[in-house]
Amino acid sequence: VTLTHLDKAGRARMVDIADKAVTRRIAVARGRVCMQQKTLARVLGGRAPKGDVLAAARIAGIQAAKRTPELIPLCHTVALGAVEIRFEADLERGQVEIEARASAVDRTGVEMEALVAVSVAALTIYDMLKALDRAITIEGVALHRKSGGKSDFVRSGDGAPINAGRRSRGRARRRPGRVRAGEKASRDSSRRRR
């Protein structure tokens, strides 16, 4: 395996991408934030002390993706075309899944931008909730897909994008207790009262 970020003497260097082809690059990264059920219920009910947690995390993740070269020393500046961040909450498990999708038409990939977006979105969720729940953890941050470069990548067992909003036939299936960002946590209980 050749490490392109190292020269022959083993010193770190910025890879020369001037001769690479300009192609459409896409990367998808995911991670999750784990917390107490009651903490997540407050998030979904709009009762977190610092305000709309997921809205703040979405903006933070997008902003971070645009600043990736300032955070990761050898990253190139990429002309990002779009950064999308989606959330899916699982009340039973006390988890918020985060997915970031970055895209660009450029000479190098956007994996780091997607990973930075997920990481900073997760850190923002932690920051906004730490007064309620000191045991929050951030887990499973990883690249799940990339395309457009010399080699594509799909993580083994990778499923469809979370909260994609696509429905092929009939109603979209979800595990009990899963709530998409923006839905009220009391949905199921209100159905039972009918």
Side-chain angles (χ1 to χ4, degrees):
V1 177
T2 302
L3 299 177
T4 56
H5 282 85
L6 299 177
D7 64 15
K8 292 179 179 179
R11 295 174 299 218
R13 68 183 179 103
M14 193 170 188
V15 177
D16 185 354
I17 62 169
D19 294 329
K20 283 189 172 185
V22 174
T23 61
R24 179 168 176 76
R25 313 286 183 133
I26 297 172
V28 175
R30 292 180 184 166
R32 63 184 170 273
V33 183
C34 304
M35 63 193 76
Q36 297 178 55
Q37 288 180 336
K38 63 182 181 181
T39 305
L40 183 51
R42 290 188 66 165
V43 171
L44 298 174
R47 294 178 287 109
K50 290 188 176 181
D52 191 333
V53 174
L54 299 183
R58 178 176 284 111
I59 295 300
I62 292 169
Q63 188 68 19
K66 296 190 291 184
R67 307 290 288 270
T68 299
E70 297 175 33
L71 300 169
I72 312 297
L74 300 179
C75 276
H76 293 83
T77 300
V78 176
L80 283 169
V83 178
E84 300 171 43
I85 300 195
R86 298 184 175 115
F87 303 100
E88 188 168 295
D90 187 331
L91 281 169
E92 289 182 353
R93 296 185 177 184
Q95 294 180 354
V96 176
E97 293 182 50
I98 307 168
E99 178 182 276
R101 181 184 186 274
S103 63
V105 177
D106 215 311
R107 287 183 166 86
T108 191
V110 288
E111 301 97 309
M112 295 308 302
E113 284 74 9
L115 286 163
V116 166
V118 166
S119 299
V120 172
L123 287 167
T124 301
I125 292 171
Y126 178 88
D127 177 62
M128 295 190 73
L129 296 174
K130 64 183 185 289
L132 294 176
D133 188 349
R134 294 287 182 183
I136 293 172
T137 60
I138 297 169
E139 302 175 0
V141 175
L143 177 70
H144 278 253
R145 292 193 299 282
K146 83 175 190 77
S147 62
K150 188 164 61 174
S151 60
D152 292 351
F153 169 79
V154 177
R155 186 168 295 280
S156 178
D158 194 27
I162 65 170
N163 200 10
R166 296 197 200 102
R167 294 185 181 185
S168 53
R169 295 177 185 172
R171 299 183 66 181
R173 290 185 177 180
R174 273 180 281 165
R175 287 201 305 249
R178 292 180 82 82
V179 180
R180 289 179 181 160
E183 293 182 1
K184 291 185 179 178
S186 60
R187 183 193 61 209
D188 292 333
S189 61
S190 66
R191 284 179 181 167
R192 286 194 294 270
R193 289 196 296 270
R194 290 177 187 170

